[in-house]
Amino acid sequence: MSMEFLYAIINFLILAAIVLLLFRKSIISLFRDRRKRINEELDRAEAIESYTPILPTGEARADHSADELAEPKLLAMRASSEERMQQIAKKGEAARLEMRREMLSELHNQTVKRMIEHAAGLLTAEPMISRIRDLEAEMIDRILASVQLTPGDISYLKAHDVLYVTLTSTYALPDELVKRVEAHTDRMLAEVNGKTSFWVRQNPELLGGLILRIGDTVYDCSVAEQLYQLERRSEKDLISGYEDADDLINELKENIESTQNRINIYQLGRVLTVSDGICWMDGLADIMYGEVVEFVRGERGMVLDIQPERIGCVIFGKYQHIESGSRVRRIGRIASVPVGNALLGRVVDSLGHAIDGNGRIRTSEKRPIECRAPAILDRSAVCEPLHTGVKAIDALVPIGKGQRELIIGDRQTGKTALAIDTIINQKGKDVICIYVAIGQKDTAVADIRSKLEKYGAMEYTTIVCASASASASLQYMAPFAGTAMGEYFMYAGRDVLIIYDDLSKHAVAYRELSLLLHRPSGREAYPGDVFYLHSRLLERSAKLSAELGGGSMTALPMIETLAGDISSYIPTNVISITDGQIFLDTELFHEGQRPAINVGLSVSRVGSAAQTKLMKQVSASLRMKLAQYRELSGFSQFGTDVDESTQRILDSGIRMMTVLKQGRYSPLPDWKQALLIYSVSEGFAEAVPVDALEEFEWKLYSFFEEHYPELRERLDSGEKFDDRLKRSINEALSIFIKESVWQSSGN
Ligand code: ATP
Ligand code: MG
């Protein structure tokens, strides 16, 4: 057993010796490798150990390591993280301010409410009552000093001979005071051969003080009115926002002081009927078209119809609480919306209220939604281009700043897509964009907003949205509201782009209102003034003269046609108002020619005055060539044999149509468009198979950017496109064509 054991050991030793002999080299190298790796690790650890203690903490540490190691990657990382930190800090600060403002306005609301309740309690309690009653004689003196007949009263007197005068007070007035008022009004009416029907009433709801009503005009010295004014003024002040609690308190103090001892003069009317968002009223003797009226619970409406016996108005928002016979009062101003920088990046409704959930919009300025268009002398010619970044538009139907260019086409032909690309292309070009969505789905608007945000275009854009679910009155107002917001910037010397998407739905909303207002309907049941509706809207877009600051407002209205019929009522109207149209063709769209611009039917009446010199020269022959191609392509469809020259025109036409295709959200700068069109129209792409033209396009751009930056620079700088420049470009293009290989081997 022990011998066996011994033999086994000897065998093992011999085997081990043989293995060692055979694999000596590899075993040694294995160990050497491991030792080397361990040594390396040790060195690294030592280096880190010696390095760490000398590094200070935080920012300085990052500086030090960057200097010492000077690793570009590290530097870049540091820069980006710093930038991110700054962004986060900025956002945090903005959120903090916003929260503070919200809290202050909430506080303000509550304070005002409490103060008003408190004041009402005080004023109706004993010591105050007798003090206010002592003032009654003085109030009557002040009222009588300010009464006068309005034009409305005089015309009423002509028809009715007698005018109602009512003196309402909280408590019974002494006879002597009543007599004084009666005598005064009698005298005043006698001067215009009228008679008074004098009434005296008592109404405890006034909470103190008195009211004199002559015809529809009210001279109000009541406590209830003072409290109402205080509330309204506080509401208005809220819009401008407070930075400080002290500001708020001072503001309130001033409000209270200025409301004391004041007569408020306004006109009253009475609701006759309410239905379908339309309210008929009487009274309101001197009301004007477009004025805002207020109903009892604070609902507002806008007057759109004035007849001898009744006044028609559209109600903004809800109207369930408005009853027949209830009071309605004039506010004394025409419908207006907030304007200013605070609106940029926001989504608002037709009244300028935020609907994007990002809090209240604080601006101190307002503009009426209806406003006179600039006069002829206030305008200057359209001469500056407004780049859309869409090849087919910039080359064939250029748009200038201050121009009105209609986008017209059937549904789903890429109308909105063109407008959104144009907005995206204005990035960094100092153009304010306003997108007015009329009668669209809320989801479509939300999608547009997220796309604009994604491409960084929301910073300079306002979306005015009256979606399909909004009332006809709000849809009617939306484009006017958007225009007012744009005008603010235009008169401040800025460039504005406004998009009305779309005016057919606007016309339908106006038709609905007109039919509800019982106006006679004309062609296609539209009211007779539907032309005026759109012309007064679009006339407000203009290029202002240098004396007025040289601002501009470019309008891109849209019209949806039915089965390509551009000769129906609304399309012909808007075509004749605008300075040209871009016609989008369903057939082209389905053939894959996108944007589906029909070159034959699209025009720009401003023409090449709104093009850069470069584009003007490059695209001069393009329209002609495309027209030729269209003409001949009709024949070629019959499958006839065509001669060589015709075939050449057809080939180059197909190439040009192909290069005019462009994807969404990819606007191109001017030089790229010009270079591409030039190279194709000069025949450089003749050898390129049609299905490789897309590849040709992007390779061309990167070739010039990489190898000919100076030529790219010259194209971009707006230098004259003369023979010298042409020669250099031709040379570069020849090299490019020679060097390139196309994926497709032909079609
Ligand atoms: P509607 O009549 O519904 O308002 P529209 O005429 O405004 O439609 P869009 O909504 O802009 O049309 O576009 C319709 C569809 O065509 C969309 O799905 C859009 O993505 C697509 N489209 C538009 N332009 C292009 C383009 N240049 N390339 C590819 N697809 C496009
Ligand atoms: Mg659309």
Side-chain angles (χ1 to χ4, degrees):
M1 192 67 186
S2 64
M3 280 300 280
E4 268 177 30
F5 185 64
L6 199 71
Y7 278 131
I9 292 174
I10 291 168
N11 272 347
F12 176 76
L13 283 176
I14 292 169
L15 202 73
I18 292 168
V19 169
L20 200 71
L21 214 70
L22 283 176
F23 298 100
R24 208 183 90 228
K25 261 193 179 162
S26 48
I27 289 170
I28 289 173
S29 75
L30 192 86
F31 278 101
R32 203 193 299 132
D33 275 0
R34 272 200 72 178
R35 214 178 44 227
K36 205 171 140 197
R37 275 216 304 275
I38 290 168
N39 279 344
E40 267 174 17
E41 288 288 321
L42 278 173
D43 284 351
R44 270 244 296 277
E46 240 170 64
I48 290 169
E49 225 175 61
S50 61
Y51 183 58
T52 322
I54 51 163
L55 282 184
T57 51
E59 189 104 328
R61 175 176 166 158
D63 269 350
H64 194 97
S65 63
D67 291 346
E68 288 262 312
L69 306 170
E71 282 185 38
K73 219 172 168 184
L74 195 70
L75 273 174
M77 261 172 63
R78 211 184 100 208
S80 82
S81 76
E82 261 175 25
E83 209 173 274
R84 276 234 300 283
M85 284 300 286
Q86 269 173 7
Q87 272 175 6
I88 291 169
K90 230 190 211 169
K91 268 194 188 158
E93 180 61 19
R96 197 182 66 81
L97 277 176
E98 184 55 36
M99 250 172 76
R100 202 182 127 108
R101 286 218 179 107
E102 285 299 321
M103 274 168 65
L104 267 172
S105 47
E106 189 50 39
L107 176 81
H108 180 255
N109 267 343
Q110 285 176 7
T111 320
V112 169
K113 241 188 222 140
R114 283 243 209 100
M115 251 176 52
I116 288 169
E117 274 166 22
H118 194 63
L122 275 181
L123 289 166
T124 44
E126 192 22 71
M128 280 310 279
I129 293 179
S130 20
R131 254 190 245 168
I132 292 172
R133 292 217 61 185
D134 290 345
L135 285 174
E136 276 165 356
E138 198 189 312
M139 284 175 189
I140 284 194
D141 282 344
R142 275 194 287 127
I143 287 178
L144 292 184
S146 52
V147 289
Q148 63 189 62
L149 291 178
T150 67
D153 293 334
I154 291 168
S155 60
Y156 183 86
L157 273 175
K158 275 187 193 142
H160 297 92
D161 213 25
V162 63
L163 198 65
Y164 289 90
V165 176
T166 320
L167 178 64
T168 315
S169 58
T170 325
Y171 310 100
L173 289 173
D175 269 357
E176 180 259 326
L177 284 183
V178 176
K179 288 242 167 62
R180 215 156 86 211
V181 176
E182 192 174 1
H184 188 95
T185 48
D186 275 347
R187 225 176 308 128
M188 192 169 70
L189 280 163
E191 277 172 26
V192 288
N193 301 325
K195 279 189 212 119
T196 337
S197 171
F198 193 75
W199 299 80
V200 183
R201 292 219 172 94
Q202 245 173 279
N203 183 0
E205 279 174 21
L206 300 186
L207 301 178
L210 43 88
I211 289 176
L212 178 67
R213 179 169 174 172
I214 302 177
D216 294 326
T217 317
V218 178
Y219 300 85
D220 199 328
C221 257
S222 70
V223 173
E225 173 65 15
Q226 308 282 12
L227 294 176
Y228 165 80
Q229 289 295 341
L230 184 64
E231 205 168 357
R232 261 200 58 203
R233 237 120 77 56
S234 311
E235 245 170 51
K236 210 163 76 189
D237 289 333
L238 250 187
I239 299 170
S240 49
Y242 295 93
E243 288 304 322
D244 216 320
D246 285 343
D247 276 3
L248 186 145
I249 290 163
N250 287 342
E251 198 84 49
L252 280 177
K253 258 197 212 156
E254 270 170 34
N255 269 356
I256 294 168
E257 273 158 23
S258 58
T259 16
Q260 277 173 3
N261 297 330
R262 189 141 40 95
I263 316 174
N264 283 307
I265 304 171
Y266 53 89
Q267 283 192 327
L268 277 184
R270 185 174 52 139
V271 174
L272 296 175
T273 59
V274 189
S275 63
D276 307 309
I278 301 281
C279 174
W280 289 103
M281 309 163 293
D282 68 356
L284 301 165
D286 297 285
I287 195 97
M288 287 185 291
Y289 186 86
E291 232 187 88
V292 177
V293 289
E294 192 179 80
F295 298 92
V296 177
R297 288 220 195 170
E299 295 97 344
R300 301 256 166 110
M302 181 170 71
V303 172
L304 275 191
D305 207 282
I306 301 177
Q307 298 175 8
E309 297 305 321
R310 59 181 190 170
I311 290 151
C313 87
V314 292
I315 304 162
F316 310 144
K318 299 197 178 90
Y319 52 87
Q320 288 92 327
H321 303 300
I322 301 173
E323 291 169 357
S324 167
S326 64
R327 272 177 18 155
V328 47
R329 73 192 265 174
R330 270 177 85 180
I331 300 256
R333 60 171 174 79
I334 74 162
S336 48
V337 284
V339 293
N341 280 318
L343 280 139
L344 297 180
R346 305 301 300 265
V347 185
V348 295
D349 67 5
S350 310
L351 301 172
H353 300 148
I355 50 170
D356 53 2
N358 287 345
R360 214 183 256 264
I361 294 173
R362 294 188 170 78
T363 57
S364 47
E365 277 188 76
K366 283 195 156 202
R367 267 189 86 88
I369 62 164
E370 296 264 7
C371 181
R372 257 189 58 192
I376 295 171
L377 285 179
D378 296 341
R379 295 170 186 248
S380 73
V382 174
C383 55
E384 247 180 285
L386 181 118
H387 291 296
T388 60
V390 180
K391 286 174 275 187
I393 297 181
D394 287 349
L396 297 167
V397 269
I399 299 173
K401 286 183 176 165
Q403 189 179 339
R404 294 126 346 134
E405 182 83 8
L406 169 67
I407 300 178
I408 184 167
D410 281 3
R411 53 177 297 277
Q412 291 290 305
T413 46
K415 300 184 295 295
T416 308
L418 275 188
I420 300 307
D421 281 356
T422 310
I423 294 183
I424 292 172
N425 193 45
Q426 304 314 313
K427 194 170 169 66
K429 296 201 170 98
D430 198 22
V431 176
I432 305 284
C433 299
I434 293 167
Y435 177 80
V436 184
I438 310 158
Q440 293 192 40
K441 281 178 288 190
D442 283 321
T443 48
V445 180
D447 188 41
I448 287 169
R449 183 197 173 197
S450 68
K451 284 286 158 19
L452 290 179
E453 235 158 37
K454 184 174 161 201
Y455 291 95
M458 208 51 210
E459 300 156 22
Y460 52 85
T461 306
T462 303
I463 298 180
V464 181
C465 174
S467 62
S469 58
S471 66
S473 53
L474 290 179
Q475 289 189 33
Y476 158 76
M477 276 179 70
F480 292 99
T483 312
M485 291 166 193
E487 271 172 338
Y488 168 80
F489 293 107
M490 176 174 77
Y491 285 107
R494 308 277 299 270
D495 293 319
V496 181
L497 167 71
I498 184 161
I499 287 151
Y500 306 107
D501 193 2
D502 63 76
L503 287 189
S504 344
K505 297 204 181 76
H506 183 236
V508 169
Y510 188 58
R511 173 169 69 183
E512 188 181 327
L513 287 182
S514 299
L515 292 176
L516 287 170
L517 287 166
H518 302 296
R519 294 204 184 139
S521 53
R523 190 174 153 190
E524 290 175 29
Y526 287 105
D529 65 343
V530 74
F531 182 90
Y532 176 56
L533 171 80
H534 288 153
S535 69
R536 75 170 190 265
L537 174 73
L538 291 167
E539 276 303 303
R540 286 159 70 181
S541 298
K543 167 87 185 151
L544 293 181
S545 63
E547 293 86 64
L548 282 175
S552 73
M553 183 147 71
T554 314
L556 295 183
M558 283 179 208
I559 288 283
E560 189 182 301
T561 52
L562 288 173
D565 179 16
I566 51 172
S567 59
S568 56
Y569 189 29
I570 302 299
T572 42
N573 276 356
V574 185
I575 286 174
S576 67
I577 295 164
T578 47
D579 310 312
Q581 73 272 355
I582 294 167
F583 184 77
L584 299 176
D585 200 323
T586 322
E587 247 173 63
L588 284 178
F589 189 83
H590 293 315
E591 278 167 18
Q593 178 70 38
R594 297 175 190 180
I597 297 175
N598 181 324
V599 182
L601 290 176
S602 305
V603 287
S604 166
R605 270 165 230 146
V606 172
S608 55
Q611 263 178 325
T612 53
K613 269 189 234 146
L614 173 67
M615 201 41 130
K616 203 186 295 182
Q617 275 162 319
V618 165
S619 66
S621 61
L622 188 62
R623 181 176 272 277
M624 270 289 293
K625 283 183 184 165
L626 283 177
Q628 247 176 347
Y629 160 70
R630 266 203 332 279
E631 193 112 311
L632 291 173
S633 68
F635 286 116
S636 70
Q637 277 174 356
F638 299 120
T640 45
D641 284 337
V642 287
D643 61 70
E644 208 177 303
S645 68
T646 315
Q647 191 59 47
R648 237 195 344 266
I649 294 173
L650 285 175
D651 280 352
S652 83
I654 290 173
R655 285 198 160 66
M656 272 179 221
M657 289 300 279
T658 312
V659 294
L660 288 181
K661 285 183 189 171
Q662 194 169 343
R664 295 191 72 180
Y665 316 118
S666 53
L668 288 173
D670 207 37
W671 75 267
K672 281 188 180 173
Q673 297 183 10
L675 183 63
L676 180 69
I677 290 168
Y678 178 77
S679 56
V680 176
S681 61
E682 290 295 306
F684 284 96
E686 249 165 36
V688 185
V690 173
D691 56 357
L693 278 170
E694 204 182 321
E695 186 193 344
F696 169 83
E697 184 180 344
W698 61 259
K699 273 191 176 165
L700 176 74
Y701 302 149
S702 52
F703 178 80
F704 269 74
E705 268 170 346
E706 221 170 282
H707 302 291
Y708 291 92
E710 80 289 347
L711 269 182
R712 172 209 178 290
E713 225 22 67
R714 280 168 71 186
L715 282 173
D716 212 9
S717 66
E719 187 184 310
K720 202 165 165 241
F721 197 63
D722 54 9
D723 287 343
R724 256 186 49 226
L725 182 58
K726 245 187 219 173
R727 251 199 316 277
S728 333
I729 288 180
N730 286 351
E731 266 167 36
L733 279 172
S734 315
I735 296 169
F736 168 66
I737 294 291
K738 221 184 284 163
E739 280 183 3
S740 306
V741 191
W742 312 114
Q743 293 294 321
S744 162
S745 53
N747 54 346

